[in-house]
Amino acid sequence: MLLVPAMVTAALALLPVAYLGVRVLESGGGAVADVLGRPRTAELVARSLTLAAVVTAGCVAVGVSLAWLVVRTDLPGRRLVGVLAALPLAVPSYVAAYTWIAAVPRVNGFTGSALVLVLVSYPYVYLPAVAVLSRLDPAMEEVARSLGHGRARTFLTLVVPQLRPAVAAGGLLVALYVLGEFGAVSIMRYQVFTTAIYTSYRAAFDRTPAAVLGMVLVAIAFVIVWAEARSRGRAAYALGGGAPRTRAPDRLGGWRWPALGWCAVVLGLAAGFPVAGIGYWLVRGSSASLDVATLGAAGWTTLYVSAGGAALATVLAIPVGILVARRRSRPVRMLEQATYVGHALPGIVIALAFVFFAVRFAYPLYQRTPLLLLAYAVLFLPAVVGAVRASVLQSPPILEDIARSLGRRPLGVLREVTLPLAVPGIGAGAALVFLTCMKELPATLLLRPTGTETLATQLWTETGSGAYAAAAPYAALLMLLAALPGYLLAQRLGKNGVTL
């Protein structure tokens, strides 16, 4: 019942890889060997992996520290900090990059790219860490402390193992996001795989070098996904079926104000700085000539294509997420890993793959909204798959066994037991995809119907010509539209204990 739709999802996710494979095979082994043997290719591998590793480590450090301070301590104003810490999800990386490069031109290259990507990506780790820490029952820790274990040992032996799957899943999303990032690294003038592929597609008639670089990027993504799955192992976990007992917060003592200062620095740099930069261009800029009709049309288009992409990604991800949670076989794990491939590819490669597919096999879809929605779904499937998987894992399988023992058929069990229990995770994943679709740029540039503009494409057009003041209204509306669902997502995760 679930295997066939899950296989369809995996096939769609692998379509860009098939496109790359066709391009590589058409070029012949000699051309492939020539591209792989270039010193530039090895340099791009080192640059991309270094950036992904540094950003992932930074996001884990920032996300887990903020989550611990918000959930487990008596941090002053921790409820407000908890809400504000999720708001960088509403800040597109290219918006943050252009505000930084406009204000501090010297912050560019690797340093600027890593700084911007950590500031906009740490919520991928922070939100699931908050969800897990909120649902942990303090009873086990109290028992450990009563047996003579210190606070640090209790945290390392009891809390960290339960926190690790959620943090690993968030770190995986960050690593794949960084590998496929295009806007921020372009503005920061730091050459990685995505910029090299984009330049190759734009500058040369021969697409072979770009296709080969894309296949290398796919191989790197497979290694990262395999490593995350290996760290997760075959273990399933459930955090309990009822509400955990309220836990007394850890007292920070003299560390309260330094901890609050740390939170203020992170939030100020992640959300305050871009907002201040956009505000500056709105107030002081001289190149803006606001067209309200164009702004409104771009905003409406952004909302409906993002909602469509989120809905399609959710429908495609549900069978995969449930299968992975309940059937730990190797074929099922391979289906899950296939859904992560598109997230690691740059949007330009995804877009060209779907152009190739539409022109050859589905021409009525060419330059139509459904093709753009399909590209969104392939790009952001992992967010929903991970959320559904984690939510189903947190519901005890015995509930489904009881339903079957009472005569319910598999479809009835799925409809009446499994899906209702997974609704918080499904909603969280869909909301995250909705937010991410709003900010997506390269695929939207190539696949949007002729004459259709989103806030992201309008923003990119204006910044590309140096009209920062003209771009500011689109950036401001984009962040405003994304802020509300980002806030609701943070609230929902905190209340329901959903992990992504």
Side-chain angles (χ1 to χ4, degrees):
M1 184 173 58
L2 294 175
L3 186 59
V4 172
M7 292 174 66
V8 171
T9 299
L12 289 173
L14 291 174
L15 184 60
V17 181
Y19 160 75
L20 293 176
V22 169
R23 299 294 312 191
V24 170
L25 290 175
E26 288 177 348
S27 63
V32 173
D34 177 66
V35 174
L36 292 178
R38 295 174 183 173
R40 180 63 173 166
T41 302
E43 181 183 355
L44 289 173
V45 171
R47 282 170 163 258
S48 297
L49 287 179
T50 301
L51 183 63
V54 169
V55 172
T56 301
C59 288
V60 170
V62 173
V64 173
S65 64
L66 290 182
W68 181 76
L69 289 172
V70 167
V71 177
R72 303 292 293 264
T73 72
D74 60 348
L75 180 77
R78 59 188 181 131
R79 292 185 181 275
L80 178 61
V81 172
V83 173
L84 296 178
L87 291 185
L89 281 176
V91 182
S93 61
Y94 46 87
V95 171
Y98 103 74
T99 56
W100 276 96
I101 203 73
V104 191
R106 295 176 60 184
V107 180
N108 56 22
F110 176 83
T111 302
S113 300
L115 173 65
V116 167
L117 291 175
V118 168
L119 293 176
V120 300
S121 302
Y122 79 80
Y124 288 109
V125 177
Y126 164 78
L127 289 174
V130 164
V132 172
L133 290 174
S134 299
R135 293 200 63 190
L136 290 181
D137 196 308
M140 291 188 295
E141 297 175 58
E142 292 171 357
V143 171
R145 295 294 301 277
S146 70
L147 295 175
H149 295 293
R151 188 183 301 273
R153 184 176 179 185
T154 300
F155 181 81
L156 292 174
T157 57
L158 287 179
V159 178
V160 170
Q162 297 181 79
L163 189 61
R164 184 173 57 114
V167 173
L172 174 64
L173 287 178
V174 171
L176 296 181
Y177 173 77
V178 173
L179 285 177
E181 171 60 28
F182 171 74
V185 291
S186 297
I187 292 174
M188 288 292 176
R189 298 186 293 277
Y190 184 69
Q191 285 290 317
V192 291
F193 265 112
T194 51
T195 55
I197 292 171
Y198 181 78
T199 302
S200 179
Y201 272 118
R202 290 289 301 271
F205 180 77
D206 183 13
R207 308 298 193 215
T208 300
V212 174
L213 293 177
M215 289 299 289
V216 175
L217 199 55
V218 170
I220 295 173
F222 269 120
V223 171
I224 293 176
V225 171
W226 172 84
E228 189 275 338
R230 183 86 175 188
S231 71
R232 191 191 332 141
R234 301 177 62 90
Y237 62 95
L239 297 182
R245 183 162 49 83
T246 303
R247 184 184 190 280
D250 295 333
R251 297 191 177 278
L252 292 173
W255 289 98
R256 293 181 71 193
W257 301 113
L260 185 61
W262 163 246
C263 295
V265 169
V266 172
L267 299 180
L269 295 178
F273 192 88
V275 170
I278 293 171
Y280 169 82
W281 287 110
L282 284 172
V283 175
R284 299 289 301 275
S286 59
S287 61
S289 54
L290 179 61
D291 186 336
V292 176
T294 302
L295 179 65
W300 169 247
T301 301
T302 300
L303 287 175
Y304 86 74
V305 297
S306 299
L312 182 57
T314 301
V315 171
L316 293 173
I318 286 175
V320 180
I322 295 175
L323 275 177
V324 172
R326 293 294 187 245
R327 300 286 184 268
R328 303 298 298 169
S329 64
R330 177 172 293 182
V332 170
R333 291 199 301 272
M334 291 176 63
L335 288 176
E336 180 197 20
Q337 292 166 5
T339 64
Y340 282 87
V341 173
H343 192 69
L345 291 173
I348 183 70
V349 175
I350 298 289
L352 288 170
F354 279 104
V355 168
F356 171 84
F357 170 77
V359 169
R360 292 201 179 186
F361 305 107
Y363 192 75
L365 294 178
Y366 181 63
Q367 286 194 322
R368 295 290 187 271
T369 300
L371 195 64
L372 175 60
L373 302 186
L374 190 58
Y376 282 162
V378 170
L379 276 166
F380 307 124
L381 266 174
V384 195
V385 171
V388 173
R389 180 195 70 209
S391 192
V392 174
L393 281 172
Q394 290 175 3
S395 60
I398 193 173
L399 299 178
E400 298 166 9
D401 297 335
I402 292 173
R404 281 190 290 267
S405 70
L406 294 175
R408 291 290 189 273
R409 294 183 177 275
L411 183 59
V413 175
L414 177 67
R415 184 180 63 250
E416 299 175 22
V417 180
T418 308
L419 286 178
L421 291 172
V423 161
I426 294 172
L432 186 57
V433 173
F434 177 73
L435 284 173
T436 314
C437 289
M438 280 188 177
K439 302 183 292 182
E440 204 287 325
L441 179 64
T444 309
L445 284 171
L446 287 184
L447 295 177
R448 71 191 190 280
T450 302
T452 300
E453 298 288 348
T454 66
L455 292 172
T457 60
Q458 282 287 100
L459 174 64
W460 185 259
T461 300
E462 300 293 352
T463 54
S465 61
Y468 293 124
Y474 298 99
L477 182 57
L478 179 58
M479 292 178 61
L480 182 64
L481 292 177
L484 180 59
Y487 168 79
L488 296 176
L489 175 62
Q491 292 291 92
R492 188 177 186 88
L493 285 171
K495 290 180 180 179
N496 294 287
V498 179
T499 58
L500 298 181

